[in-house]
Amino acid sequence: MPFFGFLMAAFLFCHFNRRLRHYRRRIGDGDTCGDGWNRQWGEQWQRHARRAARRAAREATRWGRQAAEPAKSLSPEEEALRRARRRAGAQAGFYAHLMSYLGVIAFLALINLFTTRYPWFIWPAFGWGIGLFSHWMAVFGSHLVRERYFDPAVERELRRERATMQTEKQASIDELSSSIAHEIRNPIAAAKSLVQQMGEDPTSVENVEYAKVALEELERVEHRVSHLLKYAK
């Protein structure tokens, strides 16, 4: 550790010494320190403004082109391929993160072994390990939790909703059947009664009225049956 501290101090000394010689040279050329700083910051702000303007122009051009071009719809195969590539890229990124973590922690452990006996490398390993665990949860854990808990819960709720809908449909069909049976039975019973009366007294004058009413009731039955057939279609 003292050796690394000495290297850091030497680097900072060389850096500030070089900057001091640079400003002395500028002052020797006739520029004051304040003017040099003002001109330097002014140039930096101008460069930043030009970069921001170019970036804004590129974004406006890109978004304008995207708005002008219609959105291209993807086929199910292309959409599945895109999702598979995205997931494979996420998994490859996690494994790269894991290899970086192991390499850096092994290097820190080696430095810790040669510098001091206190295991200080555990703290960066623990902190980075939390980030690595979060990355694993984002790539693999969320998929595992969705398959283990979320999808079965959705499937149970879907089966429950289907059962409820089936029960409601069955109840509506039962109610419809009972109402149709009632609408058909009453006219048939009335027509049957009128035909029986006509058979008891064939020479009666009222047989014409009875026949007319019986035909109306039978037409009513035919009308209900035609409605039922349309509903079945």
Side-chain angles (χ1 to χ4, degrees), residues 52-166:
R54 288 196 297 269
R55 189 180 301 109
R58 287 196 300 269
E59 291 292 331
T61 304
R62 183 169 64 87
W63 284 106
R65 188 182 300 111
Q66 290 181 357
E69 296 177 355
K72 183 180 178 180
S73 59
L74 298 177
S75 63
E77 292 79 6
E78 292 176 349
E79 188 66 26
L81 181 60
R82 173 177 293 184
R83 289 197 300 268
R85 286 178 177 176
R86 190 184 300 116
R87 181 162 180 79
Q91 293 179 0
F94 169 76
Y95 287 122
H97 187 189
L98 178 62
M99 296 303 295
S100 301
Y101 170 79
L102 295 177
V104 172
I105 296 304
F107 180 70
L108 292 179
L110 184 62
I111 294 175
N112 191 180
L113 181 63
F114 286 105
T115 54
T116 180
R117 294 183 178 179
Y118 178 73
W120 52 266
F121 77 95
I122 294 178
W123 300 110
F126 178 73
W128 195 351
I130 295 176
L132 186 66
F133 177 74
S134 301
H135 194 177
W136 181 86
M137 285 296 297
V139 176
F140 299 99
S142 58
H143 184 70
L144 181 63
V145 170
R146 184 170 62 251
E147 288 185 349
R148 184 71 61 83
Y149 301 103
F150 183 74
D151 290 343
V154 172
E155 187 66 25
R156 287 195 301 270
E157 290 296 327
L158 184 59
R159 287 198 300 267
R160 187 179 303 170
E161 290 293 331
R162 286 177 178 175
T164 304
M165 292 174 62
Q166 188 68 25

Side-chain angles (χ1 to χ4, degrees), residues 37-51:
W37 275 102
N38 291 332
R39 184 164 53 256
Q40 182 181 3
W41 282 106
E43 292 175 355
Q44 289 183 359
W45 278 111
Q46 290 177 1
R47 286 197 297 270
H48 285 304
R50 288 194 295 269
R51 290 174 184 172

